[in-house]
């Protein structure tokens, strides 16, 4: 009996030790992730953008409203960066998100010399972003423009009719939640959407006319929704110069009194791994190894949910080829 008691006591001690080290490992992992997240965050990198450098920021992919991006650009306003080069490669996004980004860059431009470089595409909302700068540089084969707005929605009413499904609703007025995709769009709903699109389009046109110094005749040539190559765009006054980042920096040196040969340092507007999916996966594996699978599943679920939400574009769009992979 004494031997059995000793074994039981030893097992309890071993369990306590294992529990202690499991908890310690989790705390260390959380601390390490917090440090890495801080370093990769815009706030943590602000201190790395010193007075002896030009900050390089990248606007890529679909543009949506993003308060974190607004705050990152505000921190850049107050940093020691001598100037800012904005690289754009975007087909656009929501009109609200594009306007928010345009306003943020306009405020930044008031504090720092700023120039835009079009990497491959600055269309629709991407072009709204570009015209926040006083000088736009693009490669000859880059695509710019697509000045226009759309409201796009699926209509599955015929499919529902085929499979015998009818959606019932009670609403306060005929235009409430219209169009809804479950019934043919009424003329009144289409007229209401048309008014929204035309109003946003007028705002977009007015912005281009003001920022690019165009008259009505010049604006009509470029505001029909088409994209143009860099070679075409320079003659149409959509951009100012053909070239790359070196040309953009040369413009800053010549026109904005930025010192020559300053280093260019990346300033990220989001964490390096987007929503930190890589770190979530690594953490999940570590937690699984420690027998904390339930917590690991919660972390994985949070990552997937964020990724799904990221691609849900709602509202008015200033977007080039929304049905493609752009």
């Amino acid at each position: 009996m004494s031997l059995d008691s000793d074994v039981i006591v030893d097992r309890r001690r071993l369990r306590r030790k294992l529990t202690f080290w499991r908890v310690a490992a989790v705390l260390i992992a959380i601390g390490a992730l917090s440090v890495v997240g801080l370093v990769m965050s815009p706030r943590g990198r602000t201190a790395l953008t010193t007075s002896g450098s030009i900050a390089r920021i990248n606007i890529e992919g679909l543009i949506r409203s993003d308060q974190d991006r607004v705050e990152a650009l505000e921190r850049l306003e107050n940093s020691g960066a001598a100037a800012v080069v904005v690289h754009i490669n975007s087909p656009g996004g929501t009109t609200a998100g594009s306007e928010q980004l345009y306003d943020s860059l306009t405020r930044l431009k008031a504090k720092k010399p700023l120039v835009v470089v079009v990497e491959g595409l600055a269309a629709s909302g991407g072009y709204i972003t570009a015209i926040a700068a006083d000088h736009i540089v693009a490669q000859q084969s880059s695509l710019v423009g697509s000045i226009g707005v759309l409201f796009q929605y699926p209509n599955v009413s015929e499919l529902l009719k085929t499979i015998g499904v009818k959606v019932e609703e009670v609403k306060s007025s005929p235009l409430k939640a219209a169009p809804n995709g479950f019934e043919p769009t009424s003329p009144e709903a289409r007229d209401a959407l048309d008014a929204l699109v035309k109003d946003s389009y007028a705002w977009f046109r007015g912005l281009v006319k003001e920022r690019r110094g165009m008259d009505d005749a010049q604006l009509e040539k470029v505001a029909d929704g088409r994209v143009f190559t860099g070679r075409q765009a320079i003659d149409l006054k959509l951009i100012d110069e053909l070239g790359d980042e070196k040309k953009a920096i040369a413009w800053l040196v010549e026109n904005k009194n930025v010192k020559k040969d300053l280093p260019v340092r990346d300033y990220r507007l989001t964490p390096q791994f987007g929503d930190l999916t890589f770190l979530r996966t690594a953490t999940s594996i570590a937690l699984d190894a420690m027998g904390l699978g339930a917590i690991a599943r919660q972390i994985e679920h949070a990552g997937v949910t964020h990724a799904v939400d990221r691609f849900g574009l709602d509202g008015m769009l200033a977007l080039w080829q929304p049905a493609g992979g752009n």
Side-chain angles (χ1 to χ4, degrees):
M1 293 294 294
S2 177
L3 180 61
D4 291 340
S5 298
D6 290 342
V7 171
I8 293 173
V9 170
D10 287 341
R11 285 181 177 177
R12 287 176 177 175
R13 287 175 180 172
L14 181 59
R15 286 175 181 173
R16 284 197 294 268
K17 288 181 179 180
L18 286 174
T19 300
F20 169 80
W21 285 113
R22 283 177 176 176
V23 172
V26 171
L27 293 175
I28 291 172
I30 292 173
L33 291 174
S34 298
V35 171
V36 171
L38 178 61
V39 171
M40 291 192 301
S41 70
R43 183 181 299 276
R45 285 185 296 274
T46 299
L48 301 179
T49 309
T50 62
S51 58
S53 68
I54 296 172
R56 178 196 292 122
I57 62 177
N58 292 283
I59 306 297
E60 298 177 331
L62 296 174
I63 298 172
R64 298 181 62 182
S65 297
D66 187 340
Q67 189 58 35
D68 289 337
R69 182 181 60 210
V70 171
E71 293 172 1
L73 291 172
E74 287 175 351
R75 289 191 292 271
L76 185 54
E77 289 179 32
N78 300 316
S79 74
V84 180
V85 178
V86 182
H87 287 255
I88 299 176
N89 188 13
S90 171
T94 65
T95 52
S98 302
E99 181 182 2
Q100 182 194 64
L101 180 53
Y102 170 86
D103 289 340
S104 293
L105 291 177
T106 299
R107 290 191 295 268
L108 177 58
K109 184 186 66 177
K111 298 281 189 70
K112 310 282 184 185
L114 185 148
V115 62
V116 158
V117 178
V118 180
E119 289 290 348
L121 179 63
S124 293
Y127 188 65
I128 291 174
T129 302
I131 59 178
D134 293 328
H135 195 76
I136 303 173
V137 179
Q139 296 178 331
Q140 297 185 57
S141 57
S142 294
L143 297 178
V144 299
S146 187
I147 299 168
V149 178
L150 74 149
F151 193 105
Q152 193 175 55
Y153 57 95
N155 191 300
V156 296
S157 58
E158 292 299 319
L159 174 62
L160 295 179
K161 186 185 300 183
T162 300
I163 61 178
V165 175
K166 184 178 181 181
V167 178
E168 300 284 354
E169 65 180 5
V170 177
K171 53 185 180 180
S172 58
S173 57
L175 293 181
K176 177 63 179 175
N180 57 30
F182 299 129
E183 60 185 8
T185 303
S186 68
E188 294 79 11
R190 189 171 297 277
D191 288 343
L193 288 180
D194 184 64
L196 290 177
V197 170
K198 286 181 178 177
D199 185 67
S200 292
Y201 179 48
W203 167 78
F204 194 169
R205 285 170 56 99
L207 196 63
V208 173
K209 181 178 180 180
E210 175 190 351
R211 294 295 302 144
R212 300 304 301 169
M214 295 182 180
D215 57 31
D216 291 335
Q218 291 172 320
L219 184 62
E220 286 300 322
K221 292 181 181 179
V222 299
D224 60 359
R226 286 182 291 170
V227 292
F228 302 90
T229 66
R231 285 162 54 90
Q232 295 172 317
I234 194 166
D235 292 330
L236 294 169
K237 297 185 68 175
L238 290 170
I239 66 170
D240 299 290
E241 188 176 9
L242 295 174
D244 53 13
E245 184 178 86
K246 290 184 177 179
K247 281 289 186 71
I249 293 174
W251 180 83
L252 289 172
V253 171
E254 183 177 348
N255 296 276
K256 297 296 182 179
N257 298 319
V258 175
K259 292 182 180 179
K260 190 177 181 181
D261 298 326
L262 286 180
V264 181
R265 297 176 179 170
D266 286 329
Y267 181 86
R268 295 184 182 276
L269 302 179
T270 57
Q272 185 172 358
F273 297 103
D275 61 344
L276 301 182
T277 303
F278 172 79
L279 294 179
R280 279 197 177 95
T281 303
T283 304
S284 176
I285 293 173
L287 291 173
D288 267 333
M290 291 183 287
L292 301 174
I295 298 176
R297 300 291 79 76
Q298 290 179 8
I299 291 175
E300 289 179 351
H301 177 72
V304 171
T305 300
H306 183 83
V308 171
D309 176 69
R310 185 178 172 191
F311 289 99
L313 288 176
D314 296 322
M316 206 88 64
L317 302 181
L319 182 63
W320 182 62
Q321 287 189 341
N326 299 314

